[in-house]
Amino acid sequence: MVHSVAVIKNTRERIMAAALDLFAERGVLGTPVTSIEAAAGLSPGSGSFYRHFKDRQELLAAVVEREITRVAKLPVDPSTTDGTRASELAAQLCNDLAFLGELRRLIAILFWERGKAPDVAERVRSLMVERGVELGIAELLLTDPIDVVRADPSAASTVMMCAMVGYFLSMEYFGTPPAEVDPDRFTRTLARLLVRG
Amino acid sequence: MVHSVAVIKNTRERIMAAALDLFAERGVLGTPVTSIEAAAGLSPGSGSFYRHFKDRQELLAAVVEREITRVAKLPVDPSTTDGTRASELAAQLCNDLAFLGELRRLIAILFWERGKAPDVAERVRSLMVERGVELGIAELLLTDPIDVVRADPSAASTVMMCAMVGYFLSMEYFGTPPAEVDPDRFTRTLARLLVRG
DNA sequence: GTCTATACGTGGATAGAC
DNA sequence: GTCTATCCACGTATAGAC
């Protein structure tokens, strides 16, 4: 029974896809429903949007939920987490940078929404931490750690995470890192500060 | 000749002071002129605002300019930059964290304005970099540096700056650092990763 | 399910009295 | 220099035809 399933993605999908980009780019307040309609191929100003969502807030919630789910399901690029050498950690950090790239829109929306959505902030934060710190990296740091890491492993993890987040956000919001250092040099240097070899 | 100078700060000042906070808190788009008037003790909805500024954009420019000037003039808390020991760097980093605190509103406005004000982004960025990296810290790192720092000093500086910025922004936007690490532990650990002793 | 048309509210900005 | 009053643009949201 085929029921002639629509070949073209249905409108609800197109609205969500368009809104994700627009919300990340201009913020929720900065993207009127009219422009969402336009971006979704609907006539701007017609209330066609409202056949699919109650209002902009409901759309926002749906979009964020969907994107969190998508990102959470992304496979954890392994890159051999068994050894302890700096080059392996550097590779792991490169993966983490890519993961932050996937979180880009969510982070942008979060920043636009500032205090307005503490629950979203918390969920995005734990996505970052779980992926970046808990899952593999912490153990990597704990394998034959240097003195500083041994002295306070969670502080060292925090430094690592903050450096990554700071680098990523500098790129996103300043258009460039504090100095002119490319991702490869950055992750390599960070890794060498944290582990032996 | 006293000319009876106004004891109460004049309205233009009050508007700018109010706007700085409101813009940082809710963004420019998120703070109607009416609310600026209210916050400045004027009747909201009266156009009294427009006797002092042409429009909101002009106000924004004035406010940002003024705040950049204020922050740039802040004295560079010295905290003895002569030695090379980790505790001294940590102290310096604590000062830097305080300095980022002074930049708080500018950074917030910058984030709200995203791509809209690349010139402001550049100026805030250089305020950060000049204060944090160029001015004292770079030399500190170069005095009897550890291998990693010697190998690529500007990459190491970048890691340091990014860690600081990442820590600061995590506090501001997530309400907490990636893990529960207070500023003191954070700066101490970061310092120990970067210098001998 | 999308359109045209429209009612309504909020906020930007000006006019003119005081 | 601040007020009241007002105009206008824009965006939200609904009604009803197709």
Side-chain angles (χ1 to χ4, degrees):
Chain A
M1 309 216 292
V2 180
H3 278 154
S4 89
V5 177
V7 178
I8 300 170
K9 276 187 302 188
N10 69 44
T11 304
R12 190 183 160 92
E13 299 295 317
R14 290 201 322 272
I15 288 175
M16 292 213 283
L20 178 60
D21 286 334
L22 288 170
F23 287 164
E25 207 67 35
R26 313 177 194 281
V28 177
L29 207 65
T31 79
V33 171
T34 30
S35 75
I36 297 171
E37 288 173 328
L42 297 170
S43 175
S46 73
S48 296
F49 167 87
Y50 296 97
R51 292 281 171 177
H52 303 275
F53 295 93
K54 187 178 144 291
D55 56 21
R56 217 172 19 170
Q57 283 306 313
E58 191 185 278
L59 169 62
L60 173 63
V63 159
V64 165
E65 201 55 46
R66 189 187 164 83
E67 181 70 352
I68 287 180
T69 305
R70 183 189 73 84
V71 172
K73 277 205 290 240
L74 289 175
V76 187
D77 222 322
S79 91
T80 67
T81 195
D82 53 290
T84 187
R85 286 176 299 106
S87 61
E88 289 180 13
L89 178 53
Q92 181 63 260
L93 292 178
C94 274
N95 287 345
D96 285 7
L97 224 40
F99 184 70
L100 284 176
E102 293 287 346
L103 273 176
R104 209 182 66 250
R105 296 186 201 78
L106 275 177
I107 292 174
I109 291 174
L110 180 64
F111 277 34
W112 284 115
E113 292 296 290
R114 198 75 195 266
K116 275 180 259 176
D119 51 320
V120 176
E122 180 47 34
R123 294 175 68 190
V124 173
R125 199 187 61 85
S126 34
L127 265 179
M128 265 171 38
V129 171
E130 277 157 25
R131 280 302 264 265
V133 176
E134 309 299 348
L135 203 101
I137 301 269
E139 295 101 46
L140 195 63
L141 288 179
L142 286 169
T143 317
D144 187 22
I146 61 175
D147 296 352
V148 182
V149 175
R150 176 175 292 135
D152 191 343
S154 56
S157 293
T158 301
V159 167
M160 183 182 69
M161 279 296 291
C162 286
M164 296 292 284
V165 170
Y167 185 80
F168 177 77
L169 292 177
S170 293
M171 294 293 249
E172 286 283 311
Y173 286 84
F174 293 108
T176 164
E180 303 292 334
V181 176
D182 65 58
D184 200 62
R185 247 171 95 201
F186 183 83
T187 51
R188 243 180 315 131
T189 302
L190 177 55
R192 281 177 184 155
L193 286 169
L194 286 162
V195 304
R196 289 181 207 286
Chain B
M1 309 212 300
V2 180
H3 276 153
S4 92
V5 176
V7 177
I8 300 169
K9 276 185 302 188
N10 67 45
T11 304
R12 191 183 159 91
E13 299 296 318
R14 288 201 323 270
I15 289 175
M16 293 214 283
L20 178 59
D21 286 334
L22 288 170
F23 287 164
E25 206 68 36
R26 313 177 195 282
V28 178
L29 207 66
T31 79
V33 171
T34 30
S35 75
I36 298 171
E37 288 173 327
L42 297 170
S43 175
S46 73
S48 297
F49 167 87
Y50 295 97
R51 292 279 169 178
H52 303 274
F53 295 93
K54 188 178 142 290
D55 56 21
R56 218 173 16 172
Q57 282 307 313
E58 191 185 279
L59 170 61
L60 173 64
V63 159
V64 166
E65 201 56 45
R66 188 186 165 82
E67 182 69 352
I68 287 180
T69 305
R70 182 188 73 83
V71 172
K73 277 205 289 240
L74 289 173
V76 187
D77 221 321
S79 89
T80 66
T81 194
D82 52 288
T84 184
R85 286 176 299 103
S87 61
E88 290 180 11
L89 178 53
Q92 181 63 261
L93 293 178
C94 274
N95 287 344
D96 285 8
L97 223 40
F99 184 69
L100 284 177
E102 292 288 344
L103 274 174
R104 209 181 67 249
R105 295 186 200 79
L106 275 176
I107 292 174
I109 290 174
L110 180 65
F111 277 34
W112 285 114
E113 293 296 289
R114 198 75 193 267
K116 275 179 259 175
D119 51 318
V120 177
E122 179 46 34
R123 294 175 66 189
V124 173
R125 199 186 62 86
S126 33
L127 265 179
M128 265 170 40
V129 171
E130 278 157 24
R131 280 300 265 264
V133 176
E134 310 297 349
L135 202 100
I137 301 268
E139 295 100 46
L140 195 63
L141 287 178
L142 286 167
T143 316
D144 187 23
I146 62 174
D147 296 352
V148 182
V149 175
R150 175 175 292 136
D152 191 343
S154 57
S157 292
T158 301
V159 166
M160 184 183 69
M161 279 296 291
C162 287
M164 296 291 285
V165 170
Y167 185 80
F168 177 77
L169 291 177
S170 293
M171 294 292 250
E172 287 284 311
Y173 286 84
F174 293 109
T176 163
E180 304 294 334
V181 175
D182 65 58
D184 200 63
R185 249 171 94 199
F186 182 82
T187 51
R188 242 181 314 132
T189 302
L190 177 55
R192 281 177 185 157
L193 285 169
L194 285 163
V195 304
R196 291 183 206 283

